[in-house]
């Protein structure tokens, strides 16, 4: 497998300085030439693109990408005197070119994430974060073998299993079906990612009463059927979208609710997926970086993220907001519900975020879109009532969990729907962070523990005294 097919890099040795370079008026370099000038491997060039430190342009004819020689030389000078990371501090700082959170706004690769999500779908934003190239209409395809394995594994779970349980099992099954999972080259990782995300979505059971398939389109994307490729990257080129493919949001909708999706509601879901791709170093993303530092394959990296996401203080937060908002709708007002939370000493779900002084920008975008969904009117009014009622006691603003709750309550989704949306969306961000970490020094995330046990040397421990006969112990069974 070459670098060219999956992410557009051409590792050839011929510089693009002829007609294409002359026409543009600038000298263009191939990936290999760029790597040589920077003194790094070609894979690291991709990491610089992922961090936003280099820009790439697809070469004429679509064969690989080229880089501005002047920009490369500036980067070479800058990296030669890179400032060291802080040492001895309480926080471990990561260099990342994916997300910046600053002054109540957040940016993907320097671009306002809210505006980006409003203009481009989830797959487009994910592909751009991974490769630095925007590909309108891009669609991801599930490899047939991986999808079959994931569905079989999920079907074997108990009926009461939650969505996160199913996603965790599905990613393990997909990994087992991919013999190339240990190839950590950027091209192979991207191939895996483009197949993994639709596989996870395709493995989810439809909601009770929902049609078995995406809400629009043909019902199957390239690679989903029996003739699909064993790896997404060996199927259709993601830069050549299939107009019949409904996309991830449309495939996910039937797993969330039996209600049919109108265009406005589906747009909200697609935008939510794009908004939630990344949010700097959340707990699950940190787990991903640690796993990637040990060179775990991309499926294992995503599995690590899902494990951390399942904590009640992370992914489950949206479910609390859902239940609270549904109660507000049922009781006809936020005052008694907010009062119950305050009386019990509980925080009001869906309010406040440690990284924002004002309203969560993700919530602001989704609230605006939800105003165009008639079915969301009562839930949206309830959310605004919660914010205004709680503000009399605690000056907190709405966060994205409350906005997701408006969507889930108004569309008849279960309480765990927000966590499902979060997990699917964040998978793309986890892959972006894994790509960055693979380019770093392996096993660099190895902090030292501060020992607080008894000082050595201690006497050898004595064997425990066996329980008396008839004491009720089951040890001998």
């Amino acid at each position: 497998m070459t670098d060219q097919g999956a992410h557009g890099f051409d590792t050839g040795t011929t510089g693009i300085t002829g007609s294409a370079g002359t026409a543009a008026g600038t000298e263009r370099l191939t990936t290999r030439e760029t790597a040589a000038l920077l003194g790094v491997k070609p894979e690291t060039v991709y990491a610089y693109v992922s961090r936003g430190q280099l820009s790439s342009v697809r070469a004429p004819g679509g064969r690989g990408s080229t880089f501005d020689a002047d920009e490369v030389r500036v980067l070479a000078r800058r990296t030669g005197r890179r400032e060291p990371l802080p040492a001895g501090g309480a926080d471990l700082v990561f260099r990342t070119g994916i997300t910046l959170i600053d002054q109540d706004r957040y940016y993907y690769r320097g671009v306002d994430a809210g505006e980006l999500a409003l203009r481009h779908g989830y797959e487009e934003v994910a592909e751009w974060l991974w490769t630095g190239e925007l590909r309108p209409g891009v669609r991801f395809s599930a490899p047939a073998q991986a999808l079959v394995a994931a569905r079989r594994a999920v079907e074997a779970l108990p009926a009461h299993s939650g969505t996160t349980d199913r996603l965790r099992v599905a990613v393990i099954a997909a990994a087992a079906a991919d013999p190339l999972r240990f190839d950590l080259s950027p091209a192979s990782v991207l191939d895996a990612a483009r197949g993994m995300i639709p596989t996870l979505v395709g493995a989810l059971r439809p909601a009770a009463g929902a049609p078995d398939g995406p809400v629009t389109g043909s019902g199957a994307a390239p690679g989903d059927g029996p003739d699909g490729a064993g790896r997404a990257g060996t199927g259709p080129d993601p830069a050549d979208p299939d107009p019949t493919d409904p996309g991830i949001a449309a495939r996910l909708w039937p797993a969330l609710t039996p209600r049919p999706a109108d265009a406005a509601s589906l747009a909200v879901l697609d935008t939510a997926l794009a908004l939630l791709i990344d949010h700097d170093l959340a707990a699950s993303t940190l787990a991903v970086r640690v796993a990637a530092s040990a060179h775990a394959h991309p499926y294992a990296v995503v599995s690590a993220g899902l494990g951390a996401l399942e904590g009640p203080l992370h992914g489950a937060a949206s479910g609390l907001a859902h239940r609270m908002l549904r109660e507000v709708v049922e009781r006809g007002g936020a005052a008694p519900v907010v009062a119950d939370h305050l009386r019990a000493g509980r925080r009001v779900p869906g309010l406040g975020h440690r990284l924002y002084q004002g309203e969560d920008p993700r919530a602001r975008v989704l609230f605006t879109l939800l105003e165009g969904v008639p079915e969301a009117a009562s839930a949206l009014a309830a959310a605004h009532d919660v914010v205004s009622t709680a503000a009399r006691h605690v000056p907190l603003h709405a966060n994205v969990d409350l906005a997701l709750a408006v969507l889930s309550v108004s569309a008849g989704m279960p309480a765990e729907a927000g966590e499902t949306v979060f997990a699917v969306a964040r998978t793309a961000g986890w892959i972006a962070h894994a790509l960055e970490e693979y380019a770093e020094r392996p096993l660099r995330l190895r902090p030292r523990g501060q020992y607080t046990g008894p000082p050595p040397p201690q006497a050898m421990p004595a064997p425990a005294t066996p329980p008396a006969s008839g004491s009720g112990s089951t040890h001998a069974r």
Side-chain angles (χ1 to χ4, degrees), residues 361-401:
R362 300 168 296 180
R364 185 164 55 249
V365 171
L366 292 179
F367 282 150
T368 300
L369 289 179
L370 285 162
E371 291 175 357
V373 181
E375 294 80 3
S378 60
L380 188 59
H384 291 318
D385 192 11
V386 168
V387 174
S388 59
T389 300
R392 304 171 195 167
H393 308 277
V394 184
L396 296 176
H397 299 271
N399 61 35
V400 72
D401 294 319

Side-chain angles (χ1 to χ4, degrees), residues 466-473:
S469 178
S471 65
S473 171

Side-chain angles (χ1 to χ4, degrees), residues 9 42-53 186 435-436 439:
F9 280 178
E43 289 84 356
T44 307
V45 173
Y46 175 78
Y48 287 135
V49 174
S50 176
R51 295 169 185 163
Q53 294 173 285
L435 286 165
E436 282 194 338

Side-chain angles (χ1 to χ4, degrees), residues 213-355:
V215 296
T216 59
S218 62
D224 282 355
D227 297 327
R231 190 71 180 265
T234 60
D237 186 342
D240 184 20
D242 180 355
T244 66
D245 190 326
I248 295 298
R251 296 190 195 189
L252 180 59
W253 184 274
L256 302 176
T257 177
R259 297 185 186 178
D262 57 277
S265 298
L266 205 56
V268 175
L269 178 58
D270 195 23
T271 302
L273 288 168
L275 289 169
L276 291 169
I277 286 178
D278 190 55
H279 204 234
D280 197 30
L281 288 172
S284 57
T285 305
L286 179 59
V288 162
R289 299 286 303 222
V290 172
S293 178
H295 281 192
H297 58 70
Y299 301 90
V301 160
V302 170
S303 184
L306 289 170
L309 181 68
E310 200 169 16
L313 301 181
H314 194 7
S318 60
L320 299 176
H322 172 101
R323 295 182 181 91
M324 181 268 299
L325 190 64
R326 187 170 59 187
E327 185 180 359
V328 171
V329 173
E330 292 171 352
R331 297 177 68 171
V337 179
V338 171
D340 286 346
H341 279 79
L342 296 176
R343 185 179 302 116
R346 301 189 304 266
R347 59 173 296 179
V348 180
L351 298 182
H353 196 289
R354 61 184 298 182
L355 298 180

Side-chain angles (χ1 to χ4, degrees), residues 31-121:
T31 302
R32 181 162 296 176
E33 290 173 328
T34 300
L37 187 57
L38 292 171
V40 298
K41 297 178 180 179
E43 289 84 356
T44 307
V45 173
Y46 175 78
Y48 287 135
V49 174
S50 176
R51 295 169 185 163
Q53 294 173 285
L54 274 181
S55 58
S56 61
V57 175
R58 186 171 292 276
R63 296 186 60 82
S65 296
T66 66
F67 303 85
D68 185 295
D70 291 337
E71 185 180 21
V72 174
R73 293 186 184 101
V74 169
L75 178 61
R77 290 193 296 271
R78 190 166 69 245
T79 55
R81 55 177 183 270
R82 174 180 288 179
E83 296 180 3
L85 287 173
D91 297 326
L92 183 60
V93 178
F94 293 79
R95 293 188 182 93
T96 176
I98 300 171
T99 300
L100 170 67
I101 299 175
D102 183 50
Q103 298 182 352
D104 282 353
R105 298 177 70 180
Y106 78 117
Y107 306 85
Y108 289 158
R109 296 168 60 91
V111 177
D112 186 281
E115 295 180 9
L116 189 68
L118 285 171
R119 297 185 183 187
H120 300 283

